[in-house]
Amino acid sequence: AEDGYELWLRYRPLEAEWRSTYREAVRSLVVPQSGSPTLRAARGELLRGLEGLLGAVPASAREAGEGALLLGTPETSARIADLKLPLKPLGEEGYLIRRVDTDRGAAIVIAANSDIGVLYGTFHFLRLLQTRTALANLDIVSRPRIQLRLLNHWDNLDRSVERGYAGQSLWDWWRLPDYLDPRYTDYARANASIGINGTVLNNVNASADSLTSRYIAKAAALADVFRPYGIRVYLSARFSAPVEIGGLDTADPLEPAVRAWWKAKAAEIHAAIPDFGGFLVKANSEGQPGPQDYGRSHADGANMLAEALRPYGGAVMWRAFVYSDTNPEDRAKQAYSEFKPLDGRFADNVILQVKNGPIDFQPREPFHPLFGAMPATNLMLELQITKEYLGFDTHLVYLGTLFEEVLDADTCAGSSGRCGEGAVVASVIDGSLHGYRRTGIAGVANIGTDRDWSGSIFNQANWYAFGRLAWNPDLSARSIAEEWLRMTFTANKRFVAPAAGMMLRSRQAAVDYMTPLGLAHLMGTDHHYGPAPWVDHLARPEWNPVYYHRADREGIGFDRTAEGTGAVSQYAPPLARRFGNRNAVPEDYLLWFHHLPWDYPMASGRDLWAELVHRYDRGVAEVRAMAETWAGLESFVDAERFYKTARFLEIQKREARWWRDASIAYFRAVSGRPLPAGAREPA
Ligand code: GCU
C-alpha cells in the first residue's frame, strides 16, 4: 500500500533512460568483505536502493574495474588507501563521492575516514539517483557543520506523546528490551539518511523511572539497534530523580550525596550503553524540579550533571526554556534574564539548548535574544518539528522556511558590532562565531506509530528538512523541498514546481490566517488548536491570549520597546534600535514589539486594522490556492497519498476560515471598528 511508510526512501523504479544510464555507471560493487555492522548497513541499503531504482543489483566484485562503485575507508579497503584521496578534512562523519580513473577504467568511489561516513555517503549517492542527477563529473565533499544533530522525542513511558499528532510513541517499552520492533531499524535508516546522529528517547517533562535499571536496559536495546546507523541514545533526566528513585531526601546539586548518586547513575548507564550521549534537562520551568528549588543556579545544576558525564565524554543539554510560576516580567524576557548573567559559568560539556524564539514555537517569532549574547557558553538551537501551534497533523505547513528564517537571522553580534557581517544564528550554533567547542541542534520529533510516521505525508518533509539543515544550515528551504518531493513523489517538473511553490508559501499562509503581523499565542488554551484570542480568565496573566495581543478600543500589540517591557534591549544595539523603532521594525514583527493605534499607517497604504484583515484574508486565499494546486496534481500521485493530502487540505481550508472569521469578529468587537471596505463578511 502507498501509505507513506517508506518516507523518502522509496526506491521505486526510475524512468527507463535513467535506469540504463545508471546501470551503465554502476556495473559492480566493491565493498569490503568483513565489514562492521555499519558497513553492512551501507551495503544493504545500496542493494535495496539499486534493486528498487534500477530493477537489478550490480554484481559484487573484489577488484574495481570500469563501472565499479567502490565503498570504504583507507583502513577497510586497500583500493581506497591506494587512491590517496584527500580525506583528512572530512573529519569523523564526512565523506567524499568522486569519479576516479583506475588502471582498469572509470569507477565511482564513496570514501570516508569512518564507516559511518561511508554510510552517509551511501545515502547521498542513492539520493543522487532518486533525484536523477547526472554522475558524469561527480566530485562531492560533505561534512556536517554541527556536531550533535538530535531528535527530541517528547515521548512518555505510557506511550503517549506530548504534542504528538502521529499516533503513539514508537518505543514499545512494555516489550523492550526483548522484542525489537523492525520499525526501530527503519527509524534509524531514515535518520541516518539525513545525518541525524542522536535521539533523546523520552519527554523533557521526564519521569524519573526512565533512569531506573529496568528502563536503562530498554534504552540499551534501542541503542544497540541504532548504533550501526551512527545514532546515539540520550535521556531526559528529571532533576529530582535522586529523591524519587534514589532514596535521598534532597536533590540539591551541591550536596555530596546527590553528586555521588548522579556519578553512580552515569556509570550504570554507561555500563549498559557505552556510547550513551548524555542528558537533556528541563529544570525550573513549568513546574519541573530544578536547582533553584534549593537556592542554586542553573549553572550549579548543569555542572553537577556535567561532572557525572565527564569521564565518558557525554554532554548535558540544559534547556533555556524557563517559564516559571513567579516571573513578574514579560515572559519573552525570562530566559535571557536568567541565563545571560551565567555566561561563562557552565562546564565545557554543557550546552544550553535554546528554542528558536523567546516565547514558544509560534508560527513566527523573532529569533531568541540569547543567540549572540552568550559568547562564553555553548549554545544549541531547539526547533519544533511537530506542529504544536501550526495545525497539528492536518495543516500543510512546510517548516523548512521557518527553520531557514531562524538560521539566517542576523544577530548583529559579531566583533564589529555591526549587522550584515554574517553573525547569523547558524554561525552561533555551528560554533564559528564564538568558537564553541560543542555544537548542536535539536528538533522536537513529529514521529509516532502512524503508518506514515508523521501524521501526514507532508509532515515528513519537516523531519527531512530538519535533518538536512542540521547537516548543512546553508541549504535553502527551496532546494530541500524540491529534493524531498522528487524522492517522495516524482521528479516530473510539472509536479515538483507547483508542489514546491505550495510548500514554500504554506508557512506564511499559516502565519496570516492565525497570527499575522507579529501577533502570537492566540491559540486555544492547553491544546493550542484553533483560535481563542478572547480568553482572559486564566489564573496566570501569560496563560491568556489577551496578554499577548493587548487589543482594546485604541489599538493592538505588545509594547516591548523602552517605554514598554524593554525586551528589545536584549538584542544587540543595532537590532534593539531597529526592533524598537516602529518605522524600522519588519512588519512581520510589528505587533510583537509595538502597541499601535488601529489607524496606524502601513507600508501598503492601508491602516493597521485594514492590513490585519487583509492578512487574514490572504492566508485563507492561499490555503484555497493550495487545495486547488493539489487537486491539479492528482495524475502524478497514487490514490492513497493523494486522497489523504486532499482531505487534509479541505480541513485546513475550513479551519483557516475559522481562524480568520473568529479573529476578525473578536478584534472587530474589541476595537469597535467596522469591517474595512472590500473585506469579506465572515461565512
Ligand atoms: C511548550 C509545550 C509543552 C512543553 C514545553 C517545553 O510549552 O506546550 O507541552 O512541555 O513547551 O518545551 O518544555
Side-chain angles (χ1 to χ4, degrees), residues 92-93 116 120 147-153 171 187-188 191-192 195-201 219-220 222-235 270 273-278 309 312-315 317 438:
E92 261 304 289
E93 298 182 300
I116 191 64
Y120 288 147
Q147 293 160 13
L148 306 185
R149 306 176 299 278
L150 313 187
L151 290 182
N152 286 183
H153 286 267
W171 323 134
Y187 167 87
N191 280 318
I196 287 171
N197 67 358
T199 180
V200 183
L201 298 177
L222 289 173
D224 290 343
V225 177
F226 300 160
R227 190 168 296 113
Y229 295 88
I231 296 165
R232 287 181 185 220
V233 154
Y234 298 72
L235 292 171
H270 278 90
I273 312 174
D275 55 354
F276 177 64
L309 293 171
Y312 318 98
M317 293 162 292
R438 299 227 182 195

Side-chain angles (χ1 to χ4, degrees), residues 127-343:
R127 186 160 72 228
L128 296 175
L129 271 49
Q130 289 177 280
T131 52
R132 286 83 166 165
T133 309
L135 304 180
N137 301 309
L138 269 189
D139 187 9
I140 293 170
V141 175
S142 188
R143 65 174 293 177
R145 285 253 303 273
I146 298 173
Q147 293 160 13
L148 306 185
R149 306 176 299 278
L150 313 187
L151 290 182
N152 286 183
H153 286 267
W154 284 0
D155 293 17
N156 298 313
L157 301 184
D158 65 2
R159 299 192 77 180
S160 62
V161 180
E162 176 144 347
R163 312 305 178 183
Y165 316 105
Q168 286 190 291
S169 168
L170 282 183
W171 323 134
D172 190 349
W173 295 113
W174 183 252
R175 294 183 178 129
L176 283 166
D178 298 303
Y179 173 68
L180 298 172
D181 190 326
R183 208 163 172 171
Y184 302 149
T185 306
D186 288 334
Y187 167 87
R189 288 175 50 232
N191 280 318
S193 77
I194 49 177
I196 287 171
N197 67 358
T199 180
V200 183
L201 298 177
N202 60 318
N203 192 356
V204 287
N205 298 319
S207 159
D209 287 346
S210 60
L211 298 176
T212 57
S213 49
R214 278 174 65 213
Y215 277 94
I216 291 170
K218 295 167 193 285
L222 289 173
D224 290 343
V225 177
F226 300 160
R227 190 168 296 113
Y229 295 88
I231 296 165
R232 287 181 185 220
V233 154
Y234 298 72
L235 292 171
S236 290
R238 184 165 164 87
F239 199 78
S240 53
V243 176
E244 285 151 21
I245 59 168
L248 302 184
D249 57 10
T250 176
D252 182 343
L254 299 191
E255 190 61 47
V258 174
R259 301 178 85 87
W261 187 87
W262 282 109
K263 282 188 180 161
K265 188 49 78 182
E268 180 190 352
I269 296 173
H270 278 90
I273 312 174
D275 55 354
F276 177 64
F279 294 130
L280 171 63
V281 187
K282 172 176 179 178
N284 294 119
S285 177
E286 298 185 325
Q288 295 298 318
Q292 293 174 349
D293 304 348
Y294 305 95
R296 313 299 185 192
S297 72
H298 287 293
D300 294 330
N303 292 347
M304 169 192 65
L305 295 172
E307 180 186 73
L309 293 171
R310 184 180 312 278
Y312 318 98
V316 176
M317 293 162 292
W318 192 266
R319 294 178 87 229
F321 177 73
V322 286
Y323 175 28
S324 63
D325 313 338
T326 51
N327 172 34
E329 269 195 317
D330 174 359
R331 178 179 168 191
K333 290 173 70 181
Q334 189 182 344
Y336 182 100
S337 302
E338 282 191 27
F339 285 96
K340 171 73 182 165
L342 297 176
D343 189 26

Side-chain angles (χ1 to χ4, degrees), residues 380-453:
M380 62 189 278
L381 171 64
E382 178 178 314
L383 297 164
Q384 198 181 49
I385 309 172
T386 191
K387 304 201 315 298
E388 173 180 355
Y389 296 93
L390 286 144
F392 292 12
D393 51 339
T394 41
H395 292 207
L396 194 165
V397 181
Y398 172 55
L399 298 178
T401 45
L402 188 162
F403 300 162
E404 179 178 57
E405 183 174 296
V406 175
L407 291 164
D408 291 351
D410 192 352
T411 68
C412 308
S415 49
S416 72
R418 284 192 296 269
C419 302
E421 302 198 339
V424 294
V425 170
S427 77
V428 176
I429 64 162
D430 74 5
S432 59
L433 186 64
H434 304 305
Y436 294 158
R437 287 292 200 52
R438 299 227 182 195
T439 60
I441 183 167
V444 179
N446 65 350
I447 302 165
T449 51
D450 276 9
R451 285 294 297 168
D452 65 15
W453 302 82

